[in-house]
Amino acid sequence: MSIEINARHLHLVSHKLCPYVQRSVITLIEKGVPYTRTDIDLAAKPEWFRELSPTGKVPLLQIDHRHTLFESAVICEYLDEITEKPLLPEEPLQRAQHRAWIEFGSAVLNLIARLYNAGYEVDFDAARQALRERFLRLEPVIAAPYFTGTAFGLVDAVYGPIFRYFDVFESRTDLGIFDGLPNVQHWRQSLRQRESVRQAVDPDYPQALIAFVQARNSWLARLLQPEHAAL
Ligand SMILES: N[C@@H](CCC(=O)N[C@@H](CS)C(=O)NCC(=O)O)C(=O)O
C-alpha cells in the first residue's frame, strides 16, 4: 500500500443493508485501507448528507474531509487505483469486460429489488425467472472459486453482497434460482466464506434484511414468515 493512502483520511457514508456500500467496504478490507464509517437512515437523510450527495444515495466516500466521491463502482476503482495489488485486470479488454460484469451485477440488484417488492405471485415469479436467466448467463463465464479463478477481484466484491441476499432468503424459502448451475454455486460458496465479504455487514444483517422485506408486505415477505418456512 502506498504511504500516501495511509496518510489520507477516508470516511464512508453508508447504510447497514446497502449492497453498493458493501462493495466499497469489501474493497477497503481487501486493500487493508483504514477508514471510518457512518451509517445513516435513508428514510430520514441528515441535512449534511443531502448537501454532500448529488444523488442522495449511499455510498459516499469523503477524502481528507475535502473531496467527495459518489457511485460505488467509481469509489471501488478509485480505491483500487491508489493502492497496490490491483483488483481489476491491467489489460484494457479484460478490464472492460470486468466492468461490464460489474454493470451486470447492478442489473441483478435491480431484479432483487423487484423480487422483494413484488406484491403478487405472478410478478414475484417473473422476477425470480429473470434472475435465473442472469445467472444462466454467468454460469459459463465463471472460472471459480472466484470470477477469474483463484484471484479475488472487484467483480467478486460486487457479487458477494448479491449472493448474501439469497443466503438469507433461502434460509426461509427455496427459490431454485441456482439449481443446476455448479459454477455459480461454487462461486457463491467461495464468496460466502471470504473474510472481507463476511466482515462487510454486521452480525445482525440476516434479521435486519428479513425485517426490511417484511415491512414491504410483498409476496416474498409472506414466504419469509417463520410459520410459512416451517410448512
Ligand atoms: N448507482 C449507485 C446506487 C446506490 C444506491 O442505490 N444506494 C441506495 C441504497 S442501497 C440509496 O442510497 N438509496 C437512497 C435513495 O435512493 O434515496 C451506486 O452504485 O453507488
Side-chain angles (χ1 to χ4, degrees):
M1 191 196 312
S2 69
I3 294 163
E4 189 204 3
I5 187 63
N6 263 333
R8 286 200 164 169
H9 180 261
L10 300 180
H11 176 226
L12 194 69
V13 185
S14 317
H15 178 267
K16 65 187 290 175
L17 289 178
C18 177
Y20 299 96
V21 165
Q22 290 176 49
R23 302 173 175 183
S24 318
V25 174
I26 292 167
T27 307
L28 284 158
I29 297 173
E30 287 290 336
K31 293 288 184 157
V33 177
Y35 68 101
T36 56
R37 171 175 178 161
T38 303
D39 285 338
I40 60 161
D41 181 356
L42 288 171
K45 295 173 187 165
E47 198 46 44
W48 61 264
F49 172 74
R50 289 180 184 282
E51 275 169 29
L52 274 178
S53 171
T55 59
K57 293 177 194 283
V58 290
L60 274 191
L61 184 70
Q62 286 182 280
I63 301 134
D64 290 340
H65 311 280
R66 281 193 302 138
H67 311 284
T68 303
L69 280 182
F70 56 100
E71 287 297 330
S72 60
V74 174
I75 291 171
C76 291
E77 284 205 32
Y78 167 72
L79 293 170
D80 198 33
E81 282 170 13
I82 59 170
T83 51
E84 289 166 6
K85 298 195 183 127
L87 296 175
L88 271 181
E90 297 290 339
E91 198 276 316
L93 177 58
Q94 282 179 12
R95 200 173 168 83
Q97 286 171 327
H98 281 225
R99 287 188 176 126
W101 287 112
I102 287 170
E103 277 297 309
F104 195 82
S106 297
V108 170
L109 285 172
N110 290 336
L111 286 174
I112 292 173
R114 250 177 71 191
L115 186 84
Y116 63 62
N117 280 316
Y120 298 101
E121 189 174 15
V122 60
D123 301 322
F124 172 81
D125 275 339
R128 189 168 56 144
Q129 189 52 36
L131 278 162
R132 181 161 169 80
E133 280 160 20
R134 296 281 168 161
F135 287 102
L136 276 165
R137 286 281 178 170
L138 276 158
E139 176 66 15
V141 178
I142 300 153
Y146 300 117
F147 182 70
T148 51
T150 50
F152 185 95
L154 276 193
V155 181
D156 299 293
V158 168
Y159 285 81
I162 288 175
F163 289 123
R164 197 193 314 275
Y165 277 104
F166 297 104
D167 290 346
V168 175
F169 297 159
E170 292 189 340
S171 70
R172 299 246 174 132
T173 186
D174 184 18
L175 295 171
I177 288 172
F178 308 108
D179 290 354
L181 302 180
N183 291 339
V184 172
Q185 286 180 22
H186 186 179
W187 192 30
R188 177 184 181 186
Q189 172 83 2
S190 313
L191 291 178
R192 185 193 293 134
Q193 289 167 351
R194 185 87 182 180
E195 205 46 42
S196 60
V197 175
R198 295 163 70 92
Q199 284 178 18
V201 291
D202 292 337
D204 70 346
Y205 173 89
Q207 296 87 327
L209 178 61
I210 287 175
F212 169 83
V213 174
Q214 283 179 332
R216 312 183 101 72
N217 204 16
S218 62
W219 189 263
L220 182 62
R222 262 164 265 163
L223 295 180
L224 295 184
Q225 279 167 15
E227 57 273 28
H228 185 280
L231 291 177

